[in-house]
Amino acid sequence: MAIPPRSARLPVPTDLAGPLTTGRLLLRPVRDSDLDAVTRLWTDPEVRRHLGGPVIASVVRLRRRRIVGAPGFHAVVRAGDGAVLGLVSVEPGARDGETELSYQFLPEHWGRGYAREAVHAVLARTLEDTPSVVAVTQEENHRSRRLLEAVGLEYVESFVEWDAHQVLYRRHRP
């Protein structure tokens, strides 16, 4: 997940910038106190297995300076104890003019429904103001594909990008 310079980002609707709550989660802008967990997302080999591998140190340093408070980036926090579980991002116009949703979660929180809950909430809110949302994952990332299908995105196409077979999913506003 590349973070473009602030000047290159498209505006994010105001209601996406604020906190969002679900039954177990709080999704809010990234804070300084989240940076250790977010850095783990960028550098953990298992998290990054289908995302091109761990991010190099110089890029991590740059991303750490830019992500705090950045529009469209949501730290996923467990409401019960404040633990940062992952990151969900929304980038308007990122893929051929369509809004793209992406996500990463720390491995110790996989398999508990947190990603599905967070992605579903962000997707629903995004579709209030956006005609469609797309998400891309590697073809072999079956867990991610199941998640996208579970929250109502539909397979659109396969293609090669970053030297790997990818799949694009889309959901239109109801």
Side-chain angles (χ1 to χ4, degrees), residues 10 22 62 68 142 147 152 154 172:
L10 295 171
T22 70
L62 180 64
V68 173
H142 300 290
L147 185 152
E154 296 180 354
H172 293 280

Side-chain angles (χ1 to χ4, degrees), residues 128-148:
E128 290 174 5
D129 297 312
T130 305
S132 64
V133 172
V134 296
V136 174
T137 190
Q138 278 192 12
E139 192 171 87
E140 67 182 42
N141 190 346
H142 300 290
R143 291 175 75 131
S144 185
R145 294 182 73 177
R146 282 192 305 270
L147 185 152
L148 293 172

Side-chain angles (χ1 to χ4, degrees), residues 38-50:
V38 173
T39 298
R40 278 193 57 218
L41 290 168
W42 295 330
T43 58
D44 183 285
E46 191 60 23
V47 172
R48 302 290 305 173
R49 182 168 48 146
H50 298 288

Side-chain angles (χ1 to χ4, degrees), residues 10-152:
L10 295 171
V12 174
T14 306
D15 64 332
L16 289 179
L20 176 63
T21 58
T22 70
R24 302 180 295 168
L25 306 172
L26 168 66
L27 292 91
R28 56 159 174 73
V30 176
R31 299 176 181 164
D32 285 325
S33 59
D34 304 331
L35 288 176
D36 287 344
V38 173
T39 298
R40 278 193 57 218
L41 290 168
W42 295 330
T43 58
D44 183 285
E46 191 60 23
V47 172
R48 302 290 305 173
R49 182 168 48 146
H50 298 288
L51 296 169
V55 176
I56 62 172
S58 60
V59 173
V60 168
R61 285 192 298 277
L62 180 64
R63 286 182 177 187
R64 284 176 65 100
R65 288 194 301 269
R66 292 185 175 172
I67 197 165
V68 173
F73 290 89
H74 304 271
V76 180
V77 179
R78 189 168 42 217
D81 62 4
V84 177
L85 312 178
L87 187 66
V88 177
S89 64
V90 177
E91 292 186 65
R95 189 162 292 270
D96 296 327
E98 284 188 277
T99 298
E100 185 172 3
L101 182 142
S102 59
Y103 47 89
Q104 300 174 61
F105 283 78
L106 294 168
E108 62 266 27
H109 305 297
W110 293 357
R112 297 184 178 139
Y114 293 128
R116 181 178 178 178
E117 189 173 328
V119 169
H120 182 266
V122 172
L123 178 64
R125 183 174 282 181
T126 302
L127 285 171
E128 290 174 5
D129 297 312
T130 305
S132 64
V133 172
V134 296
V136 174
T137 190
Q138 278 192 12
E139 192 171 87
E140 67 182 42
N141 190 346
H142 300 290
R143 291 175 75 131
S144 185
R145 294 182 73 177
R146 282 192 305 270
L147 185 152
L148 293 172
E149 292 166 3
V151 299

